[in-house]
Amino acid sequence: MTDLSLYRNIGIFAHVDAGKTTTTERILKLTGKIHKIGEVHDGAATTDFMEQEQERGITIQSAATSCEWDGHRLNIIDTPGHVDFTIEVYRSLKVLDGGVGVFCGSGGVEPQSETNWRYANESEVARLIFVNKLDRLGADFYRVVGQIKDILGAVPLVMTLPIGIEDQFVGVVDLLTRKAFVWDDTGNPESYEVQDVPEDMVDRVEEYREALVETALEQDDDLMEAYLEGEEPSVEALQACIRKGTIALSFFPTFCGSAFKNKGVQNVLNAVVDYLPNPTEVEAQPEVDLEGVETGGKAIVDPQAPLRALAFKIMDDRYGALTFTRIYSGTLSKGDTVLNTFTGKTERIGRIVEMHADSRLELDSAQAGDIVALLGMKNTKTGHTLCDPNQPATLEPMVFPDPVISVAIAPRDKAGAEKMGIALSKMIQEDPSFYVETDEESGETIMKGMGELHLDIKVDILKRTHGIDVDVGKPQVAYRETITRRIEDSYTHKKQTGGAGQFAKIDYIIEPGETGSGYEFISSVTGGNVPREFWPAVEKAFGVSMDEGTLAGFPLLDVKVTLTDGGFHPVDSSAIAYELAAKAAYRQSIPKASPQLLEPVMKVDVFTPDDHVGDVIGDLNRRRGMIKSQEAGITGVRVKADCPLAAMFGYIGDLRTMTSGRGQFSMEFSHYAPCPNNVAESVIAEVKARKAAS
């Protein structure tokens, strides 16, 4: 049996362009997994193996790889930084025990870093921080540490200090051992010397070391007492305290370096082994029953326990579908039959492989703590639990956000229609935040996703991977509707058709709910005027009706329906009759309740050089944006605003034009807000015209 204490399942996550993939490359080189370093900007990085990734220099899919360091096995997942692919980060963090957050030394805490950090907090993942790119112009380690405190509200435990800055950056000082690691200019990660601390840094090193010791010793009262009495703790004792605090999420050990120049990556690797938890030290995943209620059981990391594994990613390659799976407890062998609790069907394990980006190593079995890919799974999708058929249990499923943007696509030729259907169903399996549906009225195929880039990549994959040329329509925004007035109303459904008829009378109140509450149904009927067994029929019928609003047919949000009274007939009343009554009541009352169109508002975070701030803000105002804050940095200004998605199409092109190509932005969905009247009118008119034309 493998010793689980020698396992580390870690992810590398950060904002786009902070250097995650480059850091992963360096780790693979240091651990002897690859012999030649590939560069992102040359399109040759090991973990970026999709054509689209190589061209754009960004990571789209999270890639898994394994390597060895200091006798420990590291399973590493390199995650995307781009906001449209946050879902990849979310599901990777879900199955990892620890992570390395990479921050850019000059950019600092960027918008996407915040989102990823928030996800990691929700998943309670222990992390190290690596402040990268200290060789870049405008890099400032101490400023970034300050931002981590202020913006993320985290406690960075500074473990190393940089020697020199920007093009003078030569190495780091390890605060625990008070030793300086200085690299030469060859770019070889192994060619460094251990020296004494440079004289001009002695005071600063002592100051930061003292802060490190005090923070670490808060984890052990006895050591703290001894320290206050003047006893210096040993390095081993400090390391034990740091490990304890890191796993408890009390603080985050912070390192610095330059992955591109191969400086400081070893310290991070040592820290992964020293401070990040092994699979047995992480709180066990709670088990839930089929209704999603916790059973009180835990998936304890033990190879002897019943099998519990979570499929967290599906990837299609030339050999068929690969199901990436994290095994939480038990052992999985080739030829085993496992139960998928979501579908209720059993599946046979064909092959088990260990992945290294897009190459693989065959395995006979895998056990608790492993991350492996399975071949031959037919019905397993992302978020499904695989378990022992004799002792079933489900792990907490993943929740994915709703898409905010959609486009219509059509194949250029008839022959491509069938191919497109097959290709899209594969892509849906791979990416849970990507949806495809057919418009019932027009018969068009609609793709829905998290942003323009997301859908752009999908069209590109269709074209390149599957060889299907498609015409893409104009992006459509996912509008919603709501009501603004309280309405008390009544509806009677009567139908007499020889023999038994249909009768249902309902009195009800429809009123606006709280923002974000969705659909709420209450019954306050007393005295049996509407028998209790018919309430679910009324609730269901109103709920189904909410899928289509009365203004332009968009789903209705945040509505509360109260059933107050009604009437029934002992013979003619039935669930169907009440259902029909509720549907008609919906159509009768919603138009009276002053319905209103809602539009998705995005959190926009724009970086612009100082001399273009006025243009950028003026442009955001024109796009109906609400400016929230402005923060001046060394290299420019960050402007945060709330903007409606409808006004943000093609923004990247306009921003680059305004800022001579130096501006950057990211956006993510924030909330739904009422649409101004003129916008609402034109949207409703457009929908009506579309329906009339189809």
Side-chain angles (χ1 to χ4, degrees):
M1 280 296 170
T2 335
D3 183 359
L4 285 174
S5 65
L6 302 177
Y7 269 55
R8 299 287 183 273
N9 292 320
I10 60 164
I12 296 187
F13 59 94
H15 182 81
V16 93
D17 228 15
K20 300 177 293 302
T21 305
T22 308
T23 307
T24 309
E25 274 299 296
R26 301 305 184 261
I27 289 176
L28 295 178
K29 170 77 173 70
L30 271 169
T31 55
K33 200 73 186 188
I34 55 174
H35 299 294
K36 177 181 176 292
I37 287 179
E39 297 304 349
V40 174
H41 46 255
D42 300 335
T46 314
T47 52
D48 284 355
F49 50 86
M50 285 170 67
E51 283 178 30
Q52 292 81 352
E53 295 180 313
Q54 294 170 1
E55 267 176 31
R56 300 172 191 236
I58 61 172
T59 305
I60 295 169
Q61 289 192 339
S62 37
T65 178
S66 311
C67 52
E68 299 271 328
W69 180 257
D70 191 16
H72 288 65
R73 176 188 165 109
L74 311 184
N75 293 320
I76 301 174
I77 295 183
D78 174 29
T79 62
H82 222 284
V83 67
D84 289 16
F85 309 107
T86 0
I87 199 80
E88 289 278 342
V89 181
Y90 168 71
R91 58 183 178 180
S92 301
L93 283 168
K94 193 102 179 98
V95 298
L96 293 169
D97 305 326
V100 179
V102 182
F103 294 91
C104 171
S106 58
V109 176
E110 293 167 288
Q112 198 51 37
S113 327
E114 283 182 63
T115 309
N116 292 345
W117 196 263
R118 199 170 63 243
Y119 278 156
N121 283 343
E122 283 169 17
S123 305
E124 297 185 349
V125 172
R127 282 146 281 171
L128 306 176
I129 295 171
F130 178 48
V131 179
N132 188 20
K133 301 195 176 184
L134 286 184
D135 55 323
R136 275 184 67 169
L137 203 65
D140 182 344
F141 174 70
Y142 301 101
R143 185 181 84 254
V144 178
V145 169
Q147 283 183 339
I148 292 168
K149 283 181 194 160
D150 299 343
I151 300 173
L152 302 179
V155 179
L157 186 73
V158 177
M159 303 291 293
T160 61
L161 293 182
I163 306 172
I165 210 79
E166 296 178 359
D167 53 355
Q168 303 295 310
F169 176 67
V170 291
V172 300
V173 173
D174 180 2
L175 293 179
L176 276 183
T177 56
R178 297 189 174 89
K179 290 291 180 205
F181 292 76
V182 178
W183 279 264
D184 58 21
D185 292 333
T186 57
N188 179 3
E190 278 96 0
S191 54
Y192 62 89
E193 283 180 23
V194 178
Q195 303 174 355
D196 289 333
V197 176
E199 278 177 19
D200 57 343
M201 285 182 69
V202 170
D203 291 348
R204 182 169 252 177
V205 165
E206 285 310 311
E207 176 195 335
Y208 272 86
R209 190 174 192 278
E210 193 173 324
L212 165 107
V213 172
E214 283 174 5
T215 310
L217 292 182
E218 283 171 8
Q219 302 295 321
D220 189 318
D221 292 346
D222 297 345
L223 286 172
M224 184 60 136
E225 219 168 284
Y227 176 70
L228 291 173
E229 284 167 11
E231 193 179 314
E232 181 73 13
S234 66
V235 169
E236 287 75 26
L238 280 171
Q239 282 179 322
C241 288
I242 297 170
R243 181 176 184 86
K244 188 178 166 191
T246 307
I247 294 172
L249 306 186
S250 308
F251 45 70
F252 304 95
T254 303
F255 296 83
C256 58
S258 158
F260 184 55
K261 294 277 177 42
N262 273 315
K263 295 172 182 172
V265 179
Q266 286 99 324
N267 306 67
V268 177
L269 272 173
N270 291 333
V272 165
V273 168
D274 289 342
Y275 306 130
L276 286 183
N278 65 47
T280 59
E281 291 172 305
V282 179
E283 193 160 326
Q285 282 277 333
E287 295 176 356
V288 296
D289 59 17
L290 295 175
E291 272 69 56
V293 180
E294 291 197 12
T295 57
K298 296 270 176 92
I300 294 162
V301 181
D302 176 3
Q304 306 301 332
L307 176 69
R308 307 278 184 261
L310 184 72
F312 66 97
K313 178 178 166 68
I314 311 275
M315 196 170 97
D316 206 76
D317 75 352
R318 53 188 184 273
Y319 304 106
L322 288 166
T323 308
F324 281 85
T325 306
R326 159 79 196 261
I327 304 173
Y328 283 102
S329 66
T331 306
L332 191 61
S333 305
K334 227 163 53 178
D336 279 0
T337 300
V338 296
L339 173 70
N340 179 337
T341 55
F342 189 82
T343 58
K345 295 183 178 145
T346 53
E347 295 219 37
R348 196 167 170 276
I349 306 290
R351 290 157 64 198
I352 305 174
V353 291
E354 182 185 294
M355 294 300 291
H356 173 58
D358 60 346
S359 60
R360 60 195 57 198
L361 177 74
E362 291 266 347
L363 299 172
D364 288 328
S365 71
Q367 61 164 33
D370 276 327
I371 295 179
V372 289
L374 308 175
L375 278 100
M377 308 299 280
K378 293 208 173 36
N379 301 314
T380 301
K381 295 195 170 59
T382 300
H384 288 186
T385 302
L386 302 173
C387 67
D388 184 332
N390 304 322
Q391 291 172 281
T394 306
L395 298 167
E396 189 187 2
M398 302 183 186
V399 182
F400 299 114
D402 290 332
V404 288
I405 176 172
S406 60
V407 295
I409 55 163
R412 296 241 169 108
D413 50 24
K414 288 262 176 14
E418 194 175 325
K419 277 176 67 182
M420 183 172 92
I422 297 167
L424 286 172
S425 70
K426 281 186 176 171
M427 286 156 70
I428 295 168
Q429 281 194 332
E430 288 185 11
D431 183 351
S433 60
F434 174 62
Y435 296 79
V436 176
E437 59 185 45
T438 306
D439 190 306
E440 285 172 15
E441 287 168 355
S442 64
E444 288 180 314
T445 303
I446 312 282
M447 290 198 318
K448 299 182 167 187
M450 305 312 293
E452 267 186 296
L453 178 68
H454 190 194
L455 294 183
D456 195 25
I457 297 274
K458 295 297 179 206
V459 170
D460 203 36
I461 292 175
L462 276 177
K463 194 170 173 179
R464 285 218 232 160
T465 314
H466 302 282
I468 307 161
D469 275 332
V470 290
D471 291 321
V472 183
K474 203 167 105 211
Q476 301 294 329
V477 176
Y479 290 98
R480 294 286 184 266
E481 297 177 20
T482 190
I483 55 169
T484 53
R485 273 181 60 201
R486 181 176 185 272
I487 292 283
E488 277 194 50
D489 214 339
S490 172
Y491 187 84
T492 306
H493 172 74
K494 256 188 208 159
K495 200 171 183 186
Q496 201 65 43
T497 49
Q502 289 181 349
F503 178 83
K505 176 175 184 282
I506 52 172
D507 297 349
Y508 52 91
I509 302 168
I510 293 182
E511 55 193 321
E514 285 181 24
T515 308
S517 62
Y519 161 54
E520 199 180 339
F521 177 85
I522 296 171
S523 172
S524 59
V525 179
T526 50
N529 287 350
V530 178
R532 190 178 281 271
E533 66 260 32
F534 299 136
W535 295 359
V538 177
E539 180 175 0
K540 181 184 158 199
F542 272 116
V544 169
S545 305
M546 300 279 170
D547 289 346
E548 196 170 325
T550 54
L551 282 175
F554 295 109
L556 210 65
L557 286 185
D558 307 336
V559 175
K560 183 176 175 186
V561 177
T562 309
L563 182 63
T564 54
D565 205 356
F568 92 110
H569 186 279
V571 177
D572 293 354
S573 289
S574 64
I576 295 284
Y578 280 100
E579 214 166 293
L580 291 167
K583 284 182 177 171
Y586 172 85
R587 289 194 295 278
Q588 165 185 296
S589 301
I590 293 292
K592 301 182 206 166
S594 307
Q596 185 179 46
L597 203 62
L598 300 173
E599 60 182 352
V601 174
M602 309 300 276
K603 246 195 310 208
V604 181
D605 199 322
V606 186
F607 170 81
T608 163
D610 290 335
D611 35 355
H612 301 290
V613 177
D615 300 344
V616 167
I617 288 178
D619 181 64
L620 286 171
N621 286 333
R622 270 196 301 284
R623 294 174 188 268
R624 304 196 281 122
M626 290 267 303
I627 308 293
K628 291 289 192 56
S629 68
Q630 293 179 53
E631 290 167 31
I634 294 179
T635 48
V637 177
R638 269 177 75 179
V639 179
K640 291 190 176 185
D642 282 351
C643 282
L645 175 65
M648 293 303 288
F649 290 133
Y651 181 61
I652 187 71
D654 296 355
L655 177 67
R656 287 196 174 137
T657 312
M658 274 183 297
T659 59
S660 322
R662 289 160 61 204
Q664 281 182 346
F665 90 108
S666 89
M667 65 179 184
E668 61 176 311
F669 173 72
S670 170
H671 59 280
Y672 276 98
C675 242
N677 283 345
N678 58 332
V679 175
E681 280 163 15
S682 69
V683 169
I684 294 167
E686 193 182 313
V687 170
K688 282 184 177 158
R690 234 188 4 253
K691 284 184 178 167
S694 61

